[in-house]
Structure formats: C-alpha cells, structure tokens
C-alpha cells in the first residue's frame, strides 16, 4: 500500500493515530516563535495540514489560517474541523497562494514527504515565494545521520471500531537521499487482529545539508525539539525545530 493510500484508506483513523500528540502545545510554541522572529502579521498557512488540527489552534489564537495537502480525504476532514478556513489540494513542492502568508508551518516531520532533495529545494523556494516580507517558516525535521533504525514509538487507543496499536519509526540505509517512515497499525476486534504495514518514502537530509538549502532564502534558527522550552539545538540531537525568517 502506498503512503498516500494509507492516508486515504485510514484518514478516518488518522486522528486516533495522532491521539497522543499535543497539537495545542506545538501550535502555541510556533506562535511564540512567530512573535519572537516574525513580522507581526496573522496570515498563516499549514503545509501537509492533514485533518487540520494545527489550523484549528491557529484560528483559535487569532490567525487567519488555512492549509494545503495532497490528500483530499484528509482535506475533507480538515474542512469539517475548520469551516472558516481555506484548504487547497496542492503539492507543497510547487504551490502558489492568492495572498502572501506571514507564517508558514509544516508539522510532524511532513517536510520529509517532499521525497527527494530536488523536491525539497522546490518546497523551500515555494515557501519563500509565498511568504510576506519578514515572514517565518517553521517546521521540524530529523537528521539522517542520527536515525536509529531500531527505535519505534508505539501507542494504543480504544475506538468504537476496536483496539488500535500504532507504531512508527525511521529507517535510513546509511547513504543517499532516501529514508522511510515505517508504520505498523494493529486493530483488534472480538479477539481478531488485523495488521497493516506501510512504508512512506521520504527525503533524507542532514541538518548541515538542510541549513545549506535554507540559508540562501532565510535567516535560520535551529532549536531543540521541545515544544515547551525555546532553547537552541544542542548540535547532537537527531530532531530539531527550524524557525526560518524570510530574507
Ligand atoms: C503525518 S501527516 C501530518 C499531518 C499534519 N501536519 C499533522 O501534524 O497531523 C502527513 C501529511 O502530509 C501529506 N502530504 C504528503 N506529501 C505531501 C505533499 N507533497 N504535499 C502536500 N501534502 C503532502 C499527507 O497527505 C498527510 O496528510
């Protein structure tokens, strides 16, 4: 099953899969980063917005917010969650906007869905083009050199359709520009267990390479991957938050 098919087929379960994510804390943290580094504007766009949980929080915090995603079933759910927002089915590696944004975000490592270094460059160029003067681009990323192939995150959730267990982990072969996100979803109903395995091809990049791609367009701040405290990245952790101010 392709990555896109998984989100299509399981879009109804996507929010359950993400039930342990603190979307409010993530959105609030990025709002603080925008206050620190941004231009004071309130127009927000979320790339790879999924079912729109961040868009909801940004609207509630006073932004005019919208999102784009390539998956229509995810966008349909986002539109129900945020009826006042504008959503568009677009590829983040070549999108356009009607009006410039003051803040563009891309959460949950989704920037890696650009899939190749050329497409990642195209995504960065599209973001730069779509931002207003002094606008900020915030996203999180993982450094390919620090991926531990044995590390998986698992959580379980009960739903009217059964008991679900979701596991995900990064896999990087050690060379090249491809890594994958491996997913395992287990559903148990009346003692019977069904298992889905999926592998999403993603772009692999080191933070040094990523900074080199961003720096022609942005003043780049790399922060620790901690949505509670705003502290500089320690040059060692494999995850980080990027706050990039349009040059
Ligand atoms: C892991 S989900 C993250 C959703 C949301 N950002 C969140 O934090 O819950 C990844 C999303 O990226 C979308 N996606 C994948 N490739 C994309 C692309 N090239 N352009 C736009 N969206 C994309 C998928 O359809 C999916 O909704």
């Amino acid at each position: 099953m392709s990555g896109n098919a998984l989100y299509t087929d399981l879009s109804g379960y996507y929010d359950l899969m993400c039930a342990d994510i603190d979307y409010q804390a993530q959105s609030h943290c990025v709002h603080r980063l925008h206050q620190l580094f941004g231009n004071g504007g309130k127009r927000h766009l979320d790339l790879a917005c999924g079912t729109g949980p961040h868009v909801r929080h940004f609207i509630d915090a006073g932004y005019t917010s919208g999102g784009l995603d390539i998956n229509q079933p995810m966008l349909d759910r986002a539109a129900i969650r945020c009826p006042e927002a504008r959503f568009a089915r677009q590829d983040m590696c070549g999108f356009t906007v009607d009006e410039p944004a003051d803040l563009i975000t891309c959460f949950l490592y989704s920037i890696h869905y650009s899939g190749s270094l050329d497409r990642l460059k195209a995504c960065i160029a599209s973001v730069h083009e779509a931002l207003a003067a002094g606008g900020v681009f915030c996203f999180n990323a993982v450094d390919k050199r620090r991926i531990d192939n044995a590390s998986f995150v698992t959580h379980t959730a009960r739903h009217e359709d059964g008991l679900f267990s979701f596991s995900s982990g990064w896999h990087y072969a050690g060379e090249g520009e491809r890594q994958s996100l491996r997913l395992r979803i287990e559903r148990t109903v009346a003692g019977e267990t069904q298992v889905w395995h999926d592998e999403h091809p993603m772009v692999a990049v080191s933070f040094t390479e990523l900074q080199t791609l961003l720096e022609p367009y942005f003043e780049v701040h790399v922060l620790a991957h901690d949505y509670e405290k705003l502290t500089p990245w320690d040059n060692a952790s494999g995850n980080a938050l990027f706050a990039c101010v349009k040059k």
Side-chain angles (χ1 to χ4, degrees):
M1 190 188 275
S2 76
N4 198 23
L6 177 114
Y7 285 123
T8 303
D9 295 344
L10 292 182
S11 59
Y13 299 122
Y14 183 77
D15 290 333
L16 194 65
M17 196 153 110
C18 296
D20 63 339
I21 295 178
D22 192 341
Y23 284 108
Q24 167 130 34
Q26 293 184 0
S27 306
H28 183 65
C29 170
V30 169
H31 169 55
R32 283 167 64 207
L33 285 173
H34 188 223
Q35 283 178 321
L36 270 179
F37 297 121
N39 60 8
K42 287 285 188 185
R43 295 165 297 180
H44 167 243
L45 175 69
D46 191 31
L47 306 184
C49 64
T51 61
H54 294 101
V55 171
R56 183 70 264 154
H57 284 293
F58 279 98
I59 292 172
D60 294 344
Y63 285 79
T64 303
S65 181
L68 65 84
D69 200 284
I70 43 160
N71 186 290
Q72 192 58 48
M74 297 292 260
L75 290 171
D76 292 344
R77 285 175 185 275
I80 293 168
R81 173 176 267 148
C82 313
E84 62 275 71
R86 278 185 67 183
F87 293 99
R89 183 162 184 257
Q90 288 202 75
D91 181 355
M92 65 183 163
C93 302
F95 67 94
T96 53
V97 288
D98 297 336
E99 206 192 343
D102 303 301
L103 172 65
I104 297 183
T105 53
C106 189
F107 287 98
L108 207 55
Y109 304 101
S110 301
I111 197 163
H112 289 274
Y113 277 100
S114 49
S116 70
L117 286 176
D118 278 347
R119 280 176 48 81
L120 177 59
K121 283 182 204 163
C123 176
I124 291 169
S126 290
V127 169
H128 183 261
E129 179 71 26
L131 278 172
V136 175
F137 178 35
C138 281
F139 62 92
N140 59 346
V142 59
D143 186 327
K144 68 180 183 186
R145 294 172 312 172
R146 295 176 168 90
I147 285 175
D148 173 2
N149 290 337
S151 170
F152 271 79
V153 178
T154 302
H155 79 99
T156 53
R158 193 168 284 285
H159 182 267
E160 59 188 19
D161 292 347
L163 179 66
F164 285 78
S165 163
F166 302 99
S167 304
S168 61
W170 296 111
H171 188 272
Y172 182 55
E175 58 182 43
E177 59 179 89
R178 278 291 167 91
Q179 68 192 38
S180 56
L181 177 67
R182 291 184 170 174
L183 295 177
R184 182 179 188 282
I185 302 175
E186 207 181 276
R187 176 170 69 173
T188 306
V189 194
E192 273 199 34
T193 299
Q194 259 184 304
V195 181
W196 286 269
H197 285 280
D198 203 0
E199 187 153 336
H200 296 205
M202 315 261 276
V203 66
V205 68
S206 70
F207 286 170
T208 311
E209 288 167 338
L210 189 51
Q211 278 168 279
T212 305
L213 296 182
L214 290 162
E215 268 159 11
Y217 298 96
F218 298 100
E219 177 193 305
V220 182
H221 303 269
V222 189
L223 299 138
H225 197 260
D226 182 334
Y227 290 103
E228 300 297 329
K229 299 179 216 135
L230 296 183
T231 48
W233 176 57
D234 62 1
N235 277 289
S237 164
N239 305 313
L241 273 178
F242 287 74
C244 308
V245 185
K246 178 169 172 155
K247 281 184 181 169

